[in-house]
Amino acid sequence: MRLGLALGYWGRGPDPRHLELARAAERLGYDSVWTAEAWGSDAFTALTWIAAHTSRIKLGTGIAQMAARTPTATAMHALTLDHLSGGRLLLGLGLSGPQVVEGWYGRPFPKSPLTATREYVDVIRQVLRREGPVEADGVFHPHPYRGADGTGLGKPLKPITHPLRAELPLLLGAEGPKNIAQTTRIADGWLPLYWSPQRTEVYRASLSQAPEGFLIAPMARAVVCDDVAEGLLPVKAMLGFYIGGMGHAAKNFHADLMARMGFEEEARRVQQLFLEGRRQEAVLAVPDAFADEISVVGPRERIAERLELWRTGPVTDLLVTAPDPDTLRVLAELNS
């Protein structure tokens, strides 16, 4: 099981620790470093900055949102950064949800998410393989565009720049069972939002057709600390926000996922409290057991035991959000 560093997205501004952590991860032998985006900082610019200050570590978008860019624009970002970094990019993509897609990007959330994802990936593959002009008779991503409001003058094109790697690794963030199953067919890997090494049966059917070499790279909070309950508070804060705030009361993919993982009553309670404006109560209502299962928190000896659990399953890459270089060092030593 390889280790990666997940930096996430910025808050009010750039985090001055991110570059230090990325460099530390590279020195310690971590395989990859990942950036994210929501409705603030973007994933590619921060990753390019890290690329310029590192030399070996792989560079992942975890995740870049599909609604933020057309598939050809995403492919342009990918091939450009892959060239500049010497072939280190891992392209992680996700669909996001209706509140973000329609509220932030100002476009409709696709009525058929699986079809939209499949079309998006197909266009990117065509760009990167550069075998001919991009042509796609899609519902959501047709190339050329032939809608009634167009000019009808669109011309199939292929990229001027020759991509460095035709088979640049592409991973998808997917939560629903059908979406995960499709990911095993059209992508090189999967970026789970929550993964519990104690509940791998939740995903067994969806992953049953995954090909050899398929990447499974969940993200997990990691911190070396004496007080486990205190170390889990940031995990609970993240879960409270995602389960309560990242979705509508009637359509919240994150709450649904927590429910499928055996915490349905607790998920609905967290969601209800958050939507009522009782955010601190929502965070505290997140079960310690669930937060602990999806993270790597505690003293060194406990982290060693937790890592052993993660290594026994199908996970190929554990992407850790770690607040300090010492935690990164301990994880590297225990995983060697």
Side-chain angles (χ1 to χ4, degrees):
M1 184 179 72
R2 295 176 292 262
L3 292 176
L5 169 64
L7 295 173
Y9 39 74
W10 298 351
R12 294 182 62 179
D15 191 324
R17 301 171 300 169
H18 279 185
L19 185 55
E20 175 194 2
L21 288 171
R23 286 170 152 175
E26 182 169 69
R27 289 193 301 270
L28 291 165
Y30 278 60
D31 187 70
S32 57
V33 57
W34 300 73
T35 57
E37 61 188 14
W39 49 90
S41 60
D42 79 279
F44 288 100
T45 306
L47 203 59
T48 302
W49 182 252
I50 293 169
H53 291 83
T54 55
S55 60
R56 177 199 59 78
I57 198 165
K58 294 173 187 171
L59 308 157
T61 55
I63 59 173
Q65 296 182 326
M66 296 183 204
R69 306 162 191 87
T70 64
T72 46
T74 296
M76 289 166 64
H77 278 294
L79 71 85
T80 301
L81 183 49
D82 203 44
H83 267 293
L84 292 175
S85 66
R88 290 192 278 154
L89 184 66
L90 299 165
L91 181 58
L93 301 171
L95 202 57
S96 193
Q99 281 198 321
V100 175
V101 173
E102 297 183 3
W104 180 248
Y105 295 113
R107 56 191 305 174
F109 187 78
K111 293 181 179 178
S112 177
L114 270 69
T115 301
T117 299
R118 189 165 58 249
E119 291 181 9
Y120 200 100
V121 169
D122 173 61
V123 171
I124 290 176
R125 297 286 202 199
Q126 288 192 52
V127 172
L128 295 177
R129 288 169 180 165
R130 203 178 179 273
E131 296 170 345
V134 176
E135 293 190 81
D137 187 22
V139 177
F140 299 98
H141 302 290
H143 284 69
Y145 181 73
R146 297 187 178 89
D149 56 345
T151 64
L153 301 177
K155 177 183 178 181
L157 300 168
K158 65 180 178 180
I160 297 170
T161 304
H162 291 231
L164 182 64
R165 292 183 294 166
E167 302 302 327
L168 187 155
L170 190 154
L171 298 87
L172 294 175
E175 294 183 46
K178 292 181 180 179
N179 202 349
I180 297 168
Q182 174 176 267
T183 297
T184 67
R185 297 191 296 270
I186 67 173
D188 303 296
W190 173 43
L191 295 164
L193 180 61
Y194 312 138
W195 178 278
S196 168
Q198 298 164 235
R199 299 175 190 268
T200 56
E201 71 280 357
V202 173
Y203 301 114
R204 186 171 293 125
S206 298
L207 294 171
S208 62
Q209 301 301 313
E212 185 177 353
F214 186 77
L215 304 176
I216 299 176
M219 299 183 188
R221 169 81 173 181
V223 61
V224 178
C225 61
D226 293 327
D227 190 330
V228 174
E230 183 178 342
L232 289 175
L233 283 176
V235 184
K236 295 177 67 167
M238 175 274 293
L239 287 168
F241 176 66
Y242 269 75
I243 294 163
M246 293 280 276
H248 188 269
K251 198 175 187 67
N252 185 312
F253 301 136
H254 311 307
D256 293 344
L257 174 56
M258 183 177 170
R260 286 197 299 276
M261 295 180 74
F263 295 89
E264 181 170 9
E265 183 177 340
E266 295 89 339
R268 303 311 171 198
R269 175 62 176 162
V270 170
Q271 189 178 24
Q272 178 185 354
L273 288 169
F274 197 96
L275 294 174
E276 290 175 356
R278 300 155 66 183
R279 297 191 175 189
Q280 188 58 33
E281 290 180 64
V283 169
L284 295 177
V286 174
D288 283 0
F290 181 59
D292 191 34
E293 284 186 26
I294 65 170
S295 59
V296 187
V297 171
R300 182 186 177 103
E301 297 76 15
R302 189 174 194 271
I303 285 182
E305 295 172 358
R306 298 289 300 157
L307 281 177
E308 189 59 35
L309 274 177
W310 287 80
R311 279 194 293 264
T312 57
V315 170
T316 61
D317 299 77
L318 176 58
L319 313 182
V320 297
T321 59
D324 60 84
D326 286 340
T327 292
L328 292 178
R329 176 183 54 78
V330 169
L331 289 169
E333 291 171 355
L334 294 174
N335 196 58
S336 62

